[in-house]
Amino acid sequence: IEIVLAVRTARKAVTEKVETHLIDKATYTAELIDARVTAFFQFFEGIARSPILRDSAVSYREKAVFLKKEAAFNARIHKLDLCDMKGIRHTDSGQMVDVADRDFFMAAAKGKNFLAEPLISRLDGAFVNVFAVPIYDDNKVIIGVLAADTSGTRLSQDISDIIVGKTGYCSIMGLAGTMIAHPRTEVVERQINFQELAKTNPETASIAAFMKMVEEHDSVIGRYSYQNKYSIAASAVIKSTGWKVVIGAPLQEFMGTVTTLKQLMLWIGVGVAAAAIVLIYLIARKMVQPLQ
C-alpha cells in the first residue's frame, strides 16, 4: 500500500511539473515567434514607405526592379513585389498575376498587416508564406499592397531546434487546423489537417480530438495517443497571426525517475517482506519448541 501511494503521489507531482513546463515553453515559443513576425512586418513597412512606391510617375516595372534590389538584402525573402488596388501583382520581369482573391491581398488592401498560411504561389509554383502590408500615399490613402514571399517550410526550420524531453517537438497549427510548421516538413507540404485525416484514419482520432481542443481555446494542456504511445502537450496562441504553437512529448519520457522509484521501492518491499517472513518463522519456532 505504501509503495502504491508513494508512486501515485510521485507520478502526480511529476505530471504537474511537466504540465507547467510545457505551458511555459509553449507560451515562450509563441511570444518568440510573434516577436519575429512583428519585426518582419516592421521591416516591410519600412520598405512600403519608400518614396518610389508612392510616386505615381514611376512605372510598376521600375518599382518592381527597386523591390528586387531590396529583397536581395534579406536571405529569407523569396520574392518581393507590388500589387495594385485591382489585385494585380507586378514583377521585375514584367509578369502580372491576379491575386485579388488571395486572403493576404484582401486583408492588406483594407489596411491590415497579414501573414498568409503556406500556399502555392501563382508566380512560380513555389510553396511559400506571404507577408502583406498596405502602401499609403502622402494622404494616408492605401494605393497598393507590398507582398513578400518566404519559404513555406522556413518556419518549420525555425522551430526545429525546440526539443522537449528526448523526442518531443514543437509544431504550429493554422486557423483552420492545418499544420503550417512541423519538424517533418512533408506534414506541412501536404497541408495535413489531423481533424480531416481522422475521418479516414482512425489511428489519428486521439490527435484530432486534442487538436480540436487547441483550435477552440487560446491555451490548453492535454493528452493524446498515437501508435500505442501516450503523449502530453500544451498550446499557446501567436497573437499577431492567431496560429497555435503546440509543444508535446511522450509522457513516459518524463516518468523515468518515477519508474526508478517504483522499482527501488518494490525491491525494498520484497526485501522487507522476506526478512519479516524469516523473522516470524524463527520467533514462532522458538515459541512452539517448549510447548512441544
Side-chain angles (χ1 to χ4, degrees):
I1 291 172
E2 286 178 346
I3 291 172
V4 171
L5 291 176
V7 170
R8 288 184 62 183
T9 301
R11 186 180 293 274
K12 182 179 179 182
V14 171
T15 301
E16 289 176 351
K17 284 189 173 294
V18 169
E19 290 178 350
T20 301
H21 170 68
L22 289 177
I23 291 173
D24 290 343
K25 188 85 170 177
T27 302
Y28 170 77
T29 303
E31 291 174 350
L32 180 63
I33 295 173
D34 189 58
R36 290 178 180 177
V37 171
T38 301
F40 244 68
F41 275 131
Q42 291 173 346
F43 171 71
F44 292 129
E45 286 172 347
I47 296 176
R49 288 193 292 270
S50 300
I52 188 174
L53 299 182
R54 302 199 303 268
D55 191 346
S56 59
V58 179
S59 68
Y60 282 111
R61 183 70 176 272
E62 292 176 295
K63 292 176 180 178
V65 171
F66 164 77
L67 290 175
K68 183 178 181 180
K69 293 178 180 178
E70 289 294 316
F73 289 103
N74 194 313
R76 294 179 67 104
I77 300 176
H78 176 65
K79 283 187 177 296
L80 182 61
D81 299 311
L82 176 68
C83 304
D84 60 33
M85 292 306 291
K86 294 181 180 179
I88 304 300
R89 184 169 178 172
H90 301 264
T91 70
D92 62 288
S93 64
Q95 182 182 8
M96 294 186 292
V97 177
D98 189 353
V99 294
D101 60 333
R102 292 290 204 184
D103 53 2
F104 65 84
F105 172 78
M106 292 186 288
K110 294 178 181 178
K112 179 183 177 182
N113 291 345
F114 191 85
L115 173 55
E117 296 180 12
L119 51 84
I120 303 299
S121 173
R122 291 174 182 168
L123 291 175
D124 54 9
F127 188 64
V128 297
N129 287 106
V130 183
F131 286 81
V133 298
I135 300 173
Y136 296 91
D137 63 11
D138 295 332
N139 297 316
K140 303 288 185 180
V141 176
I142 298 175
I143 58 174
V145 170
L146 183 65
D149 294 351
T150 61
S151 172
T153 59
R154 186 57 186 261
L155 190 56
S156 297
Q157 298 171 17
D158 289 342
I159 64 172
S160 62
D161 60 344
I162 299 176
I163 306 297
V164 183
K166 295 180 180 179
T167 61
Y169 58 84
C170 173
S171 60
I172 300 177
M173 186 180 74
L175 299 178
T178 303
M179 303 310 296
I180 59 176
H182 197 277
R184 291 164 48 206
T185 54
E186 66 269 19
V187 172
V188 179
E189 291 171 340
R190 290 168 55 196
Q191 298 183 310
I192 295 294
N193 183 316
F194 284 105
Q195 295 180 56
E196 293 298 321
L197 185 62
K199 295 177 181 178
T200 56
N201 185 358
E203 193 177 15
T204 62
S206 181
I207 300 178
F210 174 72
M211 289 302 181
K212 183 173 179 59
M213 289 173 53
V214 171
E215 186 178 355
E216 294 174 346
H217 302 86
D218 286 347
S219 179
V220 298
I221 183 79
R223 303 182 188 187
Y224 61 87
S225 62
Y226 181 66
Q227 295 181 339
N228 296 322
K229 290 184 179 180
Y230 290 88
S231 297
I232 183 170
S235 70
V237 65
I238 303 173
K239 294 180 180 179
S240 58
T241 61
W243 300 342
K244 306 293 177 59
V245 169
V246 181
I247 291 183
L251 184 59
Q252 192 57 38
E253 292 184 4
F254 301 104
M255 296 298 171
T257 54
V258 177
T259 302
T260 302
L261 173 65
K262 180 180 179 180
Q263 293 173 345
L264 177 62
M265 295 190 71
L266 283 173
W267 280 112
I268 291 175
V270 170
V272 170
I277 290 171
V278 171
L279 186 61
I280 290 171
Y281 172 76
L282 293 175
I283 293 174
R285 186 178 180 184
K286 195 80 171 176
M287 292 171 63
V288 171
Q289 278 181 340
L291 294 176
Q292 289 178 336

